[in-house]
Amino acid sequence: MATTTNAVPPSILKPSAGSIGSSKLSNDPSAIEKYNWLLHVMYGRGEYDRIQQFIRIQSQKNSYMTYIQALVHRQEGRIVEALDLFQTCVIENPSLVNIKQVAKSLALLGRYRVAIDAYKEALTRTNNDWEIFHNLGLCYMQLREFTEAKQYLLQALQISEIQEASYLALGKIYMLEGEREEAEATFERGARRNPESPTLFTQIGLLAFERAHYTKAFECFGTALTFCPTHTPAIMAACQVIQKHGDADVALSKYRIVYGRKPECAQVWNNIGMCFFSKKKFVAAVSCLKRANYLAPFELYILYNLALVHLYLQQNASAAIFLQSAIRINRKHAPSYALLGVALSKLNDPENALRAYTYSLKLDPTDPMALLNYAIFQTNTGVPKSKVDTTLQQFYKNYTERATSTNQRELDDSMLDIAKRLIAPTSGIPPQSTYASPPKTTYSSPPPTTTSVQHEQDDVSSPSTSVFSPRKPHEVKSYDEDTLEKPVQETPVVKTKIFDDGRHRQRRGKQLPTLSTNAKPVQNEEQDESTAF
């Protein structure tokens, strides 16, 4: 019995004349663009690999495929390739959207002048696009041309008054110009238009915190956390207020939330370290600060806090090294020079200590802590009484002005007691030096934060400890004389080779208890500038 097979006709395997003519349909725009909806859906879902694979197998490409591919490249960080594809789209179709994408890619590459020209070319096609004016303001802000930047940002807000990004950018420009009141007014106007914006309320709270208006600051941070309980900058700023009031345990409990979201944030570890320092847990404080320094080795206030903790632990050489690193980062930071003067005076280097004090007062002649330390240094080095009295008069003047202009908790009352002892000393033993400035804490903020706050960046209480200045040469006793006056118990001799440079040898001279052991923590009055942009 013969079996029959259904053979494929040869006419299907070989293209006929009709089929050759029908192959021209592949170049038909309607046939190519019928997949645009699919590309749009995949891009909205973030399926970038599938988009690349789909475009790769297509024999023909339209302008929309090129446009989507350029967007994918930019999302992946391949800005140069995205710019080439966007420029191809402009050549094929010089529309407003394509020109804006070219300008945005140029701005991401740092070519702000060319980006400005591209945005101005886009302005010839429309006059009511908020995004164009906003991006022009950002480009001028990056070029430090603040007048033009404010002009374009104000035009953007005239077109659309509900854009949070424009209010943040305009407020940041005012802060860079030093106009804090204008910046706060801008943020408040934006908060009225965007009543559920955690970023704007956080910025308002930070500006209030700088002026020591802690109640208003805490209310703003609480409002921000109401609308976004996981907003990291608001949590950090609220913890900063809690630290300012000396409640380190509550602040540490809040920092656990931030640590779970940002375990490699240097500002978090810095603030945790200063919380432990205020609780006198010095090993934990040094460990946290060292971790913060590892994560951000060029952060000024982390180095400053490390120097402060090491100075409190009588590790003066290490403190001086950290302060030198901080000064290399910012040569105009007066508290670092003042604290370096204290460290150098403890290292028996009065010449360099004098230079550090002089330059610190040259940068900030109104710092009462630096003036008081300088007066103590002058007393201990045999400077005439008239010069010491002049320094103390400047100290009292600036202390009074700062006490009237800021919150009383910003200043340490023990400074007045030390100043009175300098005016009328009761014994021949030199007074103790106080720290040149209170420790700093920093807080994180959305990039570029910081910073940074900060502003990205950087305000915590720490024990108000004493740092001893070197005694006069005729008052310094040798090590042998000390041992003769106060014999010590003999200890078994261990035959071990010890390299001792004398840094950790402590003098056994009498100490004047100018500060009590349970003194109130010194409060900080500076705030690391940080904005969310």
Side-chain angles (χ1 to χ4, degrees), residues 201-502:
F201 281 105
T202 302
Q203 295 300 325
I204 296 172
L206 292 176
L207 291 175
F209 186 86
E210 289 182 1
R211 298 195 309 273
H213 297 166
Y214 301 125
T215 303
K216 180 181 178 181
F218 200 75
E219 289 178 357
C220 293
F221 299 146
T223 305
L225 292 175
T226 300
F227 297 113
C228 184
T230 58
H231 189 60
T232 303
I235 298 175
M236 293 286 291
C239 292
Q240 197 172 6
V241 177
I242 295 171
Q243 281 183 260
K244 196 72 175 179
H245 288 77
D247 200 346
D249 294 326
V250 178
L252 285 172
S253 65
K254 298 296 183 182
Y255 282 132
R256 292 178 183 176
I257 303 174
V258 184
Y259 170 76
R261 299 177 61 87
K262 290 187 175 182
E264 296 184 358
C265 181
Q267 289 81 9
V268 175
W269 286 106
N270 175 75
N271 292 2
I272 292 174
M274 298 316 293
C275 283
F276 284 126
F277 180 52
S278 64
K279 296 178 66 176
K280 296 185 179 181
K281 295 182 178 181
F282 304 117
V283 176
V286 172
S287 300
C288 294
L289 289 172
K290 287 288 183 70
R291 184 177 179 85
N293 187 33
Y294 170 77
L295 295 172
F298 301 108
E299 185 71 28
L300 171 66
Y301 290 128
I302 294 176
L303 294 169
Y304 183 89
N305 289 338
L306 273 169
L308 192 63
V309 175
H310 282 84
L311 195 60
Y312 180 80
L313 296 175
Q314 301 296 325
Q315 299 179 6
N316 308 316
S318 299
I321 291 173
F322 285 119
L323 287 171
Q324 289 175 358
S325 302
I327 289 172
R328 290 191 187 98
I329 294 173
N330 185 2
R331 298 184 180 275
K332 301 296 182 181
H333 190 239
S336 296
Y337 287 99
L339 196 62
L340 181 61
V342 177
L344 292 174
S345 63
K346 293 189 64 179
L347 291 171
N348 296 327
D349 190 358
E351 295 180 0
N352 289 324
L354 178 61
R355 292 173 57 189
Y357 280 125
T358 305
Y359 196 73
S360 172
L361 294 175
K362 179 181 177 181
L363 294 175
D364 186 8
T366 62
D367 186 6
M369 191 75 74
L371 288 169
L372 181 59
N373 282 337
Y374 185 48
I376 295 173
F377 174 76
Q378 289 176 327
T379 304
N380 295 337
T381 52
V383 175
K385 192 70 169 58
S386 59
K387 294 184 178 180
V388 178
D389 293 339
T390 303
T391 306
L392 288 175
Q393 289 177 2
Q394 295 178 1
F395 161 74
Y396 279 113
K397 177 183 177 182
N398 294 303
Y399 184 93
T400 305
E401 292 177 354
R402 190 162 294 189
T404 55
S405 61
T406 60
N407 196 337
Q408 187 63 29
R409 275 183 286 181
E410 295 291 321
L411 299 174
D412 188 7
D413 296 335
S414 62
M415 291 192 294
L416 295 176
D417 299 334
I418 297 174
K420 291 179 182 178
R421 300 194 182 195
L422 287 177
I423 295 176
T426 57
S427 64
I429 302 175
Q432 301 172 350
S433 298
T434 57
Y435 284 135
S437 180
K440 306 289 188 299
T441 60
T442 55
Y443 49 88
S444 65
S445 58
T449 166
T450 327
T451 357
S452 263
V453 318
Q454 74 42 31
H455 241 202
E456 93 154 55
Q457 17 109 89
D458 113 273
D459 292 326
V460 65
S461 59
S462 69
S464 178
T465 60
S466 58
V467 179
F468 299 98
S469 297
R471 292 179 287 182
K472 296 181 181 179
H474 65 275
E475 295 176 347
V476 178
K477 299 180 180 180
S478 65
Y479 185 79
D480 296 334
E481 293 175 353
D482 287 341
T483 54
L484 289 175
E485 292 179 1
K486 187 177 181 180
V488 296
Q489 260 186 338
E490 293 185 359
T491 55
V493 179
V494 181
K495 295 183 179 181
T496 306
K497 189 174 182 180
I498 301 176
F499 295 92
D500 186 10
D501 57 355

Side-chain angles (χ1 to χ4, degrees), residues 70-103:
L71 290 177
V72 171
H73 285 329
R74 192 166 66 189
Q75 290 290 335
E76 294 175 349
R78 300 154 64 181
I79 311 297
V80 177
E81 299 178 9
L83 177 60
D84 295 337
L85 293 175
F86 282 130
Q87 288 175 342
T88 303
C89 294
V90 170
I91 294 173
E92 296 178 358
N93 181 20
S95 62
L96 177 63
V97 176
N98 292 334
I99 295 175
K100 286 167 59 177
Q101 295 296 340
V102 170

Side-chain angles (χ1 to χ4, degrees), residues 502-518:
R503 288 189 307 164
H504 307 291
R505 183 183 300 168
Q506 298 182 354
R507 304 285 184 186
R508 291 183 174 83
K510 295 182 179 180
Q511 303 174 1
L512 180 62
T514 57
L515 297 178
S516 59
T517 55
N518 56 354

